[in-house]
Amino acid sequence: MRLAREMIGAFCPDPDEVEVRALLAFCLALGSAFLAADHRGRTRAQVIARATDLILAQPPGGPSR
């Protein structure tokens, strides 16, 4: 979690949002292997890639990468 907070905190200035994104990243990394779900025409890799994009996206009004 500390590493996730540091990495996300590098582009996201809101500490509350950093904590939420770090938790989601941690849950995605550890929990996705245990979840059996139908992704309605998408592959698991596509869904995980999109989730990763959302977690690591710049906050609205934030500086560009």
Side-chain angles (χ1 to χ4, degrees), residues 2-63:
R2 181 176 26 204
L3 177 60
R5 286 182 192 109
E6 289 174 11
M7 301 305 289
I8 294 167
F11 65 85
C12 183
D14 180 350
D16 292 331
E17 189 168 340
V18 168
E19 191 64 21
V20 169
R21 288 176 185 235
L23 176 66
L24 291 172
F26 191 77
C27 290
L28 178 64
L30 293 179
S32 66
F34 299 106
L35 179 65
D38 174 24
H39 297 297
R40 297 184 177 190
R42 294 168 189 83
T43 67
R44 173 63 61 103
Q46 289 171 320
V47 173
I48 289 174
R50 181 64 180 129
T52 302
D53 289 345
L54 289 171
I55 291 168
L56 299 178
Q58 288 288 329

